[in-house]
Amino acid sequence: MASQNNNQQQDTNALIQVRKDKLADLVARGSNPFEITKYDVTHHSQEIKDGFDGLNDKEVTVAGRLMSKRVMGKASFCHVQDLQGTIQSYVARDSIGEEAYADFKKLDIGDIVGIRGKVFKTQTGEISVHAEQLTLLSKSLQILPEKFHGLTNTDLRYRQRYVDLIMNPDVKDTFVKRSRIISSIRKYLDGQGFMEVETPMLVSNAGGAAARPFETHFNALDEDIKLRISLELYLKRLIVGGLEKVYEIGRVFRNEGLDTRHNPEFTLMELYQAFTDYHGMMDLTENLYRHVAKEVLGTTKIVYNGIEMDLGKPFERITMVDAVKKYSGVDFNEIKTLDEARATAAEHHVEIEEHHKKGDILNRFFEDFAEEHLIQPTFVMDHPIEISPLTKKKPDNPDYVERFEFFMNGWEMANAYSELNDPIDQRQRFAAQEELFAMGDEEANHTDEDFLNALEIGMPPTGGIGFGIDRMVMLLTDSAAIRDVLLFPTMKSLDN
């Protein structure tokens, strides 16, 4: 096997050297393609195909990567790939000239070319460009994967996304849709009167979520700082400042593991709206998801891994207690003490930790028994206070808070609160979090004195929500893993 790999590497090296020799020849002849600074493109491939009736026999210029070449004596065919797809070009010696045609025959798959010519349709019905001038714009010195087999090595696809985008049209389509999804979110929120803002990524206190932060050192101030794990606490400061409706779409960083739904850096969208509550956030979520699906996919029915989910119907709303009762048979309204909760966990083989209180155990039951069943759009409401340190208590039941998590396909897609705006209560919640940290919970929040000061200035009743953009893109593009919707996912270094 090692001998076979060595032979393949030698063959590849020989082919690469041939390309380098061709470049050297071009440079020697005064035709270095890397000296070209611009090329005026008038049309892209799909535009020409869609607009053929108006473009037939009209001159166009296209540019892209040479993906196939079929030389047949005095005339040849090639396919050029651009942002929108591929288009065929008919290249004839009598049309572009003898010297140019000789140069064309020396082109390699992967070279980037510009073609000027007239649009026509071949005898087989393929819309094409009859080349009148062909320009080499960039010489490819590496070998693209063999087209029939494509780039199939998953690890290599993620590491060399630039090759993946060239060889796999579905991948390019996913990222075009990702861009359209984020654009559609912005359009919807802007239309609702929200203001897009930017908040710090480097922070002294990484709060707003239960996660371990990445830590670094700021040399200029000789201070240890962290990368943010959420957007929450700074956006709430802006609500205090009177901005009323704010949102941010940005990267956050959590020092956690890698799997099909988690990457240590990911895109989060959080928004906050004064004078509303978590019910207002539910309405906004339904409307936003429907808007994006209609605009990007043209339908409110999406299919993920063969399962249809309907965003057009009213989303189900269920409390966490009722969801646990429905899927495990355990009614936490009947469990009065921590000892009863621990005993019930043991009976149902639910793993808990020493510091877990009744609310933590309820949440573990939910994760173990209910989450996987929440396929259709569902709001799970009214979480226990122990796992919700930044959320308003329910006035009629202070053991629970006005919070929901939005689920689809068994995944948490969003997390929302009626935001806690009582600075006295918030200080007590932070103190409880500090105790958890002291007991070994590395994901506990720390007291943020400036945030408490902001609450003491006064924050109006506010609804807030955080959306996982990457998971939303996964569902709307039927992508199996989060790495399939991140252009450059986190990878283990090849040097390690």
Side-chain angles (χ1 to χ4, degrees), residues 81-265:
Q81 178 174 294
D82 62 16
L83 174 66
Q84 296 181 354
T86 62
I87 191 161
Q88 179 173 265
S89 179
Y90 173 69
V91 186
R93 186 186 67 182
D94 292 346
S95 298
I96 68 170
E98 193 164 336
E99 184 178 347
Y101 190 66
D103 286 341
F104 165 76
K105 291 196 290 185
K106 294 178 183 176
L107 293 178
D108 292 301
I109 301 303
D111 288 349
I112 296 174
V113 298
I115 296 174
R116 176 174 60 80
K118 290 184 177 177
V119 176
F120 78 109
K121 189 178 287 186
T122 66
Q123 291 180 344
T124 60
E126 185 168 354
I127 294 170
S128 307
V129 177
H130 188 150
E132 296 169 355
Q133 182 188 59
L134 192 145
T135 306
L136 176 62
L137 302 174
S138 182
K139 184 68 186 169
S140 175
L141 301 179
Q142 276 286 356
I143 313 294
L144 289 178
E146 196 272 308
K147 189 173 182 183
F148 180 75
H149 294 100
L151 182 63
T152 55
N153 181 302
T154 302
D155 188 74
L156 190 60
R157 284 181 51 223
Y158 297 144
R159 291 185 189 278
Q160 297 185 11
R161 182 67 85 187
Y162 42 92
V163 181
D164 192 24
L165 289 166
I166 294 167
M167 300 307 301
N168 296 317
D170 290 347
V171 171
K172 183 183 288 185
D173 181 62
T174 292
F175 288 104
V176 169
K177 281 182 179 169
R178 180 188 174 105
S179 179
R180 291 184 62 208
I181 288 165
I182 293 173
S183 175
S184 181
I185 291 170
R186 284 193 166 102
K187 186 186 300 183
Y188 178 80
L189 293 177
D190 293 347
Q192 296 294 312
F194 280 84
M195 172 180 171
E196 184 171 10
V197 297
E198 295 172 308
T199 61
M201 289 189 183
L202 293 172
V203 295
S204 58
N205 185 348
R212 289 179 60 189
F214 287 93
E215 299 181 5
T216 187
H217 187 77
F218 186 13
N219 292 334
L221 297 180
D222 192 25
E223 286 185 359
D224 291 332
I225 54 176
K226 302 174 178 69
L227 290 172
R228 67 184 180 187
I229 60 174
S230 89
L231 314 173
E232 180 165 351
L233 299 185
Y234 281 96
L235 291 176
K236 285 182 179 178
R237 286 167 166 89
L238 299 180
I239 295 293
V240 170
L243 295 187
E244 291 196 5
K245 288 184 174 184
V246 294
Y247 76 95
E248 180 174 7
I249 299 174
R251 282 293 174 104
V252 296
F253 309 87
R254 298 183 181 179
N255 201 346
E256 300 170 344
L258 295 160
D259 62 31
T260 56
R261 282 185 281 158
H262 293 89
N263 194 73
E265 57 173 313

Side-chain angles (χ1 to χ4, degrees), residues 319-320 323-324 361-372 374 380 383 405 407:
T319 67
M320 181 178 280
V324 167
I361 297 171
L362 167 62
N363 188 51
R364 284 292 175 92
F365 266 83
F366 173 75
E367 292 172 347
D368 287 0
F369 290 99
E371 274 191 13
E372 63 182 306
L374 305 177
V380 176
H383 292 49
E405 290 173 298
F407 282 84

Side-chain angles (χ1 to χ4, degrees), residues 17-41:
Q17 188 58 50
V18 169
R19 293 184 176 220
K20 290 180 178 179
D21 292 343
K22 288 180 181 179
L23 175 62
D25 179 60
L26 288 167
V27 171
R29 290 161 46 201
S31 299
N32 184 353
F34 297 119
E35 291 181 349
I36 296 174
T37 57
K38 63 174 291 189
Y39 188 81
D40 292 325
V41 176

